[in-house]
Amino acid sequence: MFENDGPSTGTTGPKRERTRARIRAVALRSLREKGYDATTMRGIAEEAGLSVGNAYYHFPTKDHLVQELYVEVQQEHRAIAAPQLDGEDDFVTRVGIVVRTGLGNLRSWHEVAPQFLTTAIAPGSPNNPMSSQSAPARDIVLGLFEEAAAGARTQLPGSLAADAPKALWMAYLLLALFWVYDTSPGQRRTDRLVDALLGVLRFALPMLRVRPFRRAVTDIVAVVAGRDE
């Protein structure tokens, strides 16, 4: 017998919260184990012991549950990265911690990752990392890059300091895209690419003292960060 605690039943808030939590738990487990394509609202409802209509009442679409998953994954990322940032003040090392812990946290997802890429790649998709719906998950990672930059002994000059975290996040998205298509054992090519890019960043930091180079980098980063002049 399916439960029903939709808007017409007059049930209390705590029960609705418990039902919502049960749907969320079932959905996140299904998304992790089966991937995006094999996870359906009907399957979630059946496993949770609810009517399909009740499941839709709490989460209007499967994409709403994907956003819950995004937030959970980024919270995991933060929990891993934050302790490693403590006590480290080298700018490049701090950026590397955020990037490496983020990609490392995704390793168990590699097999099903292309399914999520399909739904996330379209500009109008709610699962696009730059969509308004993705803001809660995005803000967690942006916050990590902001902390990485703010806690470094080397501080970026001028507007570059404000724009760099978003530019670093955009670069991280491109690395994640490369990782999705990386079929090397353990995605070792991605690890090598991260090492190489961090090496370029380490080389570039002292060059910011050169005014023409600093101006060019500042302009590029501002465009990537989406700041209007």
Side-chain angles (χ1 to χ4, degrees), residues 1-2 8 19 32 45 55 61 71 83 85 96 100 109 115-116 123 132-133 153 157 163 167 178 195 199 220 228:
M1 191 92 180
F2 287 134
S8 63
T19 302
R32 285 180 179 274
T61 69
V71 170
L85 290 173
R100 289 190 175 107
W109 292 87
Q115 298 177 26
F116 291 93
S132 59
Q133 294 91 332
R153 65 176 180 271
D163 292 335
F178 184 89
D195 290 343
I220 292 169
D228 293 330

Side-chain angles (χ1 to χ4, degrees), residues 205-229:
L205 282 178
M207 294 290 292
L208 291 174
R209 291 192 291 265
V210 181
R211 185 173 298 177
F213 182 80
R214 182 174 68 247
R215 185 181 303 117
V217 170
T218 299
D219 289 345
I220 292 169
V221 169
V223 171
V224 173
R227 180 168 57 84
D228 293 330
E229 295 293 343

Side-chain angles (χ1 to χ4, degrees), residues 8-30:
S8 63
T9 65
T11 54
T12 62
K15 183 176 180 181
R16 287 197 297 271
E17 292 168 8
R18 289 195 300 271
T19 302
R20 180 181 173 87
R22 186 159 78 250
I23 295 169
R24 182 182 183 275
V26 169
L28 267 57
R29 183 171 64 249
S30 179

Side-chain angles (χ1 to χ4, degrees), residues 187-198:
Q187 291 69 61
R188 286 200 294 262
R189 289 177 61 214
T190 302
D191 293 338
R192 289 172 55 201
L193 180 59
V194 170
D195 290 343
L197 290 173
L198 290 173

Side-chain angles (χ1 to χ4, degrees), residues 23-192:
I23 295 169
R24 182 182 183 275
V26 169
L28 267 57
R29 183 171 64 249
S30 179
L31 288 166
R32 285 180 179 274
E33 295 175 356
K34 302 176 184 177
Y36 181 84
D37 295 342
T39 296
T40 65
M41 292 297 288
R42 180 172 296 278
I44 292 167
E46 289 177 356
E47 188 174 345
L50 303 166
S51 68
V52 177
N54 199 5
Y56 276 117
Y57 165 65
H58 290 279
F59 294 97
T61 69
K62 181 168 68 172
D63 290 337
H64 286 77
L65 287 160
V66 171
Q67 292 298 334
E68 296 283 325
L69 175 66
Y70 282 176
V71 170
E72 181 171 273
V73 169
Q74 299 312 330
Q75 287 173 337
E76 292 170 353
H77 179 191
R78 177 171 185 79
I80 298 168
Q84 296 187 35
L85 290 173
D86 288 344
E88 177 59 62
D89 65 358
D90 179 73
F91 184 94
V92 177
T93 301
R94 289 175 67 84
V95 170
I97 286 170
V98 177
V99 172
R100 289 190 175 107
T101 54
L103 293 176
N105 190 47
L106 294 176
R107 289 203 188 279
S108 63
W109 292 87
H110 194 260
E111 186 176 345
V112 298
Q115 298 177 26
F116 291 93
L117 180 62
T118 300
T119 181
I121 201 71
S125 170
N127 294 329
N128 186 303
M130 288 174 280
S131 71
S132 59
Q133 294 91 332
S134 294
R138 179 174 65 244
D139 288 347
I140 295 172
V141 189
L142 274 173
L144 278 173
F145 281 115
E146 288 168 357
E147 290 177 32
R153 65 176 180 271
T154 300
Q155 291 295 301
L156 299 176
S159 62
L160 192 56
D163 292 335
K166 189 169 184 181
L168 288 167
W169 172 73
M170 293 287 286
Y172 173 69
L173 287 183
L174 292 175
L175 281 167
L177 179 62
F178 184 89
W179 171 85
V180 170
Y181 289 105
D182 184 359
T183 58
S184 63
Q187 291 69 61
R188 286 200 294 262
R189 289 177 61 214
T190 302
D191 293 338
R192 289 172 55 201

